[in-house]
Amino acid sequence: ISQRPFAPDYTAALAANYEHPLSATVTGIARLGFRHRSGGILIGPDIDMDSYNLLDAQLGVRFKQVEFAAFVRNALDDNYILYNNGLTGYQGIGSGLDPLTTRALVRDPGAVFGVRLTITM
């Protein structure tokens, strides 16, 4: 069976949302999400992707149709590694790199922190 490049072998996700009234018009909100991506291939059977985890969180308040929240995506700053299983063609002839030990580290774009203002009409 052929597998699509950059597609993980499997993924799993868990999410939790919590809201609590702080007053008659203001609601506190909290969200937490965890995703696991397991393995996969990059190009053909010779370059594999490592498993990795993503943790996302958000904390904020809602007032009528306005929501203000601080968030972090990929809070664990996790990444995945591409394993080059002895395939020299991807390194270029004469590169001097050892095909058995050379690894590439790829970000799943690092930890991202921010604030968000959402107005629902």
Side-chain angles (χ1 to χ4, degrees):
I1 296 176
S2 179
Q3 185 178 2
R4 294 174 55 133
F6 295 102
D9 292 333
Y10 69 88
T11 61
L14 181 63
N17 294 315
Y18 178 74
E19 295 187 7
H20 183 75
L22 301 176
S23 72
T25 57
V26 178
T27 302
I29 54 173
R31 296 184 178 112
L32 187 64
F34 177 80
R35 293 174 284 156
H36 174 75
R37 295 182 181 176
S38 178
I41 60 169
L42 178 64
I43 301 171
D46 295 316
I47 300 182
D48 301 322
M49 294 189 323
D50 194 18
S51 299
Y52 62 106
N53 301 305
L54 299 171
L55 179 66
D56 303 329
Q58 177 178 314
L59 188 62
V61 293
R62 182 181 315 120
F63 174 74
K64 297 184 181 182
Q65 290 89 8
V66 178
E67 184 177 298
F68 180 76
F71 67 89
V72 58
R73 287 192 307 253
N74 192 6
L76 302 174
D77 199 27
D78 208 350
N79 52 62
Y80 57 91
I81 299 173
L82 303 179
Y83 291 98
N84 182 358
N85 296 327
L87 191 64
T88 57
Y90 290 101
Q91 298 168 344
I93 297 173
S95 69
L97 299 175
D98 183 349
L100 299 177
T101 60
T102 301
R103 303 290 183 258
L105 182 65
V106 179
R107 288 281 198 226
D108 182 85
V112 176
F113 297 87
V115 294
R116 177 178 21 251
L117 177 66
T118 307
I119 301 172
T120 307
M121 300 292 199

